[in-house]
Amino acid sequence: MKKSISQRDIARTLGVNASTVSRALKGQPGVSNDLRQKIMALAESQGYRPNPFAMSLRYGSTRTIGVVVPDISFSHYAHIVKWIEAEAQKHGYLCIVTDSGDKYSSEHDCVEKLVDMHVEGIALCLSQESPPRGIVGDKYVEWLKSKHVPIVLFDRVADIECTTVSFNDVELARQATLHLIDSGARRVAFLGGPNTIKQAADRKHGYLEALRERNRPILKELVKCGHVSFNSGLSDTLELLDLPEPPDAILADYGLLSMAAFQAIISKGLHIPQDVAIVGFMSDWVSGLVYPRMTFVKQNLKEMGSKTFRLLADQIEGDTEVKHVVVNGRLSVRESTIPIKE
């Protein structure tokens, strides 16, 4: 494929200064009509297109932001990115989206590369491997501050001095657990991510709050907090179902874990919700892929994406106030929890 021609190429071909070519292409004075016509003709014949990125660097504004997500193939993150991009486009910004593969080392590389590309701000969803506050979180923020790069953490956030956008995870998990108990469940299990993820820890906290609220015992064997993957969710659920007194309901705090738990229950020849009820944190359309349809925690991904960009844009414009925005969700009841028992 032929390389696109630059202003320097045009200048070299015609034996003039690049500044002369720039003035001619912009319609500025200081260039004779004859030379202007030659420059314009050559630019058109060679398919010249201005490089907005190079121009923005020259004038100190790239009008780009970076977005880092754990796995763009997941509909959850893809939808949030969609709304970040939609809001960014309204304000004339371009998004550069990177995928950390849910690994801390890759996440760090993504951030460094985005900084090297002179993005004006970064929207970051932490990987599940990101160490907790005091180990890396504060270093991230301090390093980005030293580079004068605004940053907003979204969805998976941390308790650090940084603007964040998160869901009301404690309350959502509490409501989901109360729904299971009030529908007849006696032994509700929690299937979650590692406690180092604030999001996972908050959801477990909401689960425990609901148990206390209904005077239910907190049983260690019913709580599984590990790596967020389909295989880990499958093995953890099978362990729960093999207990002498297995759970009759499960709250799964990630979409992958929800689907894994569903598969594990079916593989044991059990019925949903008659034998085991289940509630998952997941997307609307994903919850409808299984039968019976899964009761799920519906999260407002549009609001999450829009607010993430707006807060980042505010920082780019000079706002230095650290803000913590909470986006609400709701429980959507479907067939996987009603009825639990006859």
Side-chain angles (χ1 to χ4, degrees):
M1 183 179 291
K2 183 179 178 182
K3 182 181 177 181
S4 59
I5 192 171
S6 68
Q7 291 187 13
R8 291 185 180 277
D9 295 329
I10 295 172
R12 192 178 299 111
T13 300
L14 296 177
V16 298
N17 292 327
S19 59
T20 301
V21 174
S22 177
R23 289 197 302 273
L25 294 173
K26 293 178 182 178
Q28 295 175 343
V31 185
S32 68
N33 289 335
D34 182 56
L35 180 55
R36 187 187 304 276
Q37 289 177 7
K38 288 181 180 179
I39 291 172
M40 298 297 288
L42 181 59
E44 183 176 356
S45 66
Q46 296 298 312
Y48 168 77
R49 290 177 62 84
N51 185 337
F53 186 71
M55 292 172 64
S56 62
L57 280 176
R58 187 179 306 158
Y59 295 108
S61 173
T62 63
R63 303 297 290 180
T64 61
I65 64 167
V67 182
V68 184
V69 293
D71 192 335
I72 195 62
S73 67
F74 287 180
S75 65
H76 177 83
Y77 301 120
H79 277 82
I80 295 176
V81 169
K82 171 185 175 181
W83 294 115
I84 291 175
E85 285 191 304
E87 197 67 28
Q89 288 175 5
K90 291 180 186 177
H91 294 80
Y93 279 84
L94 175 70
C95 291
I96 301 175
V97 181
T98 60
D99 187 323
S100 71
D102 222 358
K103 297 183 180 298
Y104 170 67
S105 58
S106 179
E107 173 188 302
H108 193 274
D109 288 343
C110 288
V111 171
E112 285 194 332
K113 286 182 172 64
L114 290 169
V115 171
D116 291 342
M117 294 178 72
H118 298 273
V119 296
E120 295 194 47
I122 295 176
L124 170 64
C125 180
L126 296 171
S127 73
Q128 63 178 305
E129 290 185 357
S130 293
R133 179 192 171 108
I135 298 175
V136 69
D138 294 324
K139 292 180 181 179
Y140 244 147
V141 176
E142 290 306 315
W143 180 73
L144 287 167
K145 283 181 178 177
S146 72
K147 299 291 184 180
H148 307 289
V149 179
I151 182 170
V152 172
L153 301 183
F154 68 94
D155 194 31
R156 288 186 192 166
V157 303
D159 287 322
I160 55 179
E161 196 64 16
C162 178
T163 291
T164 62
V165 186
S166 59
F167 291 108
N168 56 331
D169 289 303
V170 174
E171 178 59 22
L172 290 171
R174 173 184 165 273
Q175 291 176 13
T177 307
L178 288 176
H179 167 69
L180 289 167
I181 295 172
D182 294 344
S183 297
R186 297 180 298 276
R187 291 172 59 84
V188 181
F190 179 80
L191 188 63
N195 290 317
T196 52
I197 302 178
K198 182 180 183 298
Q199 184 181 66
D202 284 348
R203 291 172 180 175
K204 185 175 77 170
H205 180 63
Y207 159 80
L208 297 175
E209 272 194 358
L211 294 182
R212 296 187 187 100
E213 190 172 334
R214 291 294 186 266
N215 297 312
R216 296 300 175 90
I218 296 172
L219 303 173
K220 186 177 180 181
E221 67 268 23
L222 293 183
V223 178
K224 294 286 188 179
C225 297
H227 189 75
V228 180
S229 71
F230 186 87
N231 287 339
S232 65
L234 194 66
S235 61
D236 283 345
T237 305
L238 290 173
E239 286 183 16
L240 288 169
L241 298 175
D242 286 337
L243 289 171
E245 292 185 70
D248 56 2
I250 295 174
L251 172 62
D253 77 347
Y254 288 96
L256 266 182
L257 300 180
S258 304
M259 300 303 286
F262 197 101
Q263 181 63 41
I265 295 167
I266 298 300
S267 73
K268 298 285 285 187
L270 300 172
H271 297 90
I272 300 171
Q274 290 81 3
D275 297 313
V276 186
I278 183 169
V279 176
F281 281 73
M282 55 172 44
S283 301
D284 192 342
W285 71 273
V286 176
S287 69
L289 292 178
V290 293
Y291 183 81
R293 296 182 307 161
M294 196 180 300
T295 294
F296 70 105
V297 175
K298 184 176 179 64
Q299 300 159 95
N300 193 332
L301 305 185
K302 178 179 181 180
E303 186 177 357
M304 167 71 69
S306 298
K307 287 190 173 180
T308 296
F309 173 78
R310 290 173 193 164
L311 288 169
L312 192 58
D314 288 344
Q315 287 189 47
I316 293 170
E317 294 299 320
D319 186 359
T320 59
E321 181 183 355
V322 174
K323 301 172 183 176
H324 300 293
V325 175
V326 177
V327 177
N328 293 322
R330 63 180 177 83
L331 185 67
S332 181
V333 178
R334 291 183 168 179
E335 293 84 4
S336 72
T337 60
I338 299 178
I340 290 180
K341 299 284 186 182
E342 292 294 334

